[in-house]
Amino acid sequence: MHDHHHDHSSDLGGSKHRLGIALFITLAFMAVEVAGGILFNSLALLADAGHMLSDVASLGLSWVAFRIGQRAAGDRHTFGFRRSEILAALCNGLLLWAVVAVILYEAIHRFYTPVQVKAEGLLVVAALGLAVNLAMAALLFKGKDANLNVRSAFL
């Protein structure tokens, strides 16, 4: 019988580092989108900031779950702590649904009481957001097959 164990610790360490960088970048740009959404009366920017809040939570949970998941199995935890990564993915999905509910509520409210949106500022922040998302995808691409949570963050 062949023991099929491979050491992926260098892949995992790099993936954990990339998740940390992605978390910081996402948190910083989320603040930019909140400011832009308020300044330019843009529900689109505020909605994307809400989505980025779920991304921040997702990346944060993924990073913590990654660290916990690397703990070795023992007598009490025969599977180790890998389940933490699965629970983090579940929490991320639930948070995203909560963000959707808030966005839907605000969209319905604005349908009945519209506000003037300052399109120029909205477009600048949105273009920066696209650049940030492309940079994040490039950052997470290498580790997407090494870990479920890195793959989730990449997607």
Side-chain angles (χ1 to χ4, degrees):
M1 181 177 210
H2 173 69
D3 183 19
H4 197 75
H5 182 281
H6 298 282
D7 183 17
H8 297 287
S9 59
S10 63
D11 293 343
L12 294 177
S15 295
K16 184 172 64 174
H17 181 70
R18 283 188 289 278
L19 272 175
I21 292 171
L23 174 62
F24 176 75
I25 291 170
T26 305
L27 185 61
F29 197 73
M30 181 188 73
V32 170
E33 284 194 327
V34 167
I38 292 168
L39 189 63
F40 306 126
N41 293 324
S42 172
L43 180 58
L45 288 178
L46 291 173
D48 199 52
H51 177 243
M52 290 191 87
L53 174 63
S54 74
D55 288 346
V56 166
S58 171
L59 290 166
L61 282 171
S62 295
W63 190 80
V64 169
F66 207 131
R67 291 185 56 107
I68 291 171
Q70 288 181 315
R71 292 182 183 170
D75 292 337
R76 185 162 180 230
H77 301 98
T78 57
F79 189 66
F81 290 86
R82 300 293 302 220
R83 288 184 191 104
S84 63
E85 296 177 17
I86 296 166
L87 291 173
L90 173 67
C91 289
N92 295 336
L94 294 174
L95 178 62
L96 192 55
W97 277 107
V99 168
V100 166
V102 170
I103 292 167
L104 180 62
Y105 172 80
E106 185 62 27
I108 291 169
H109 177 70
R110 284 192 178 203
F111 183 74
Y112 291 106
T113 46
V115 295
Q116 183 68 34
V117 176
K118 298 173 185 163
E120 297 83 13
L122 163 70
L123 290 173
V124 169
V125 175
L128 288 172
L130 177 61
V132 167
N133 280 322
L134 291 173
M136 298 281 285
L139 176 69
L140 296 172
F141 180 79
K142 183 177 179 186
K144 71 179 175 48
D145 295 326
N147 179 275
L148 174 67
N149 285 296
V150 176
R151 183 171 178 80
S152 168
F154 172 75
L155 292 175

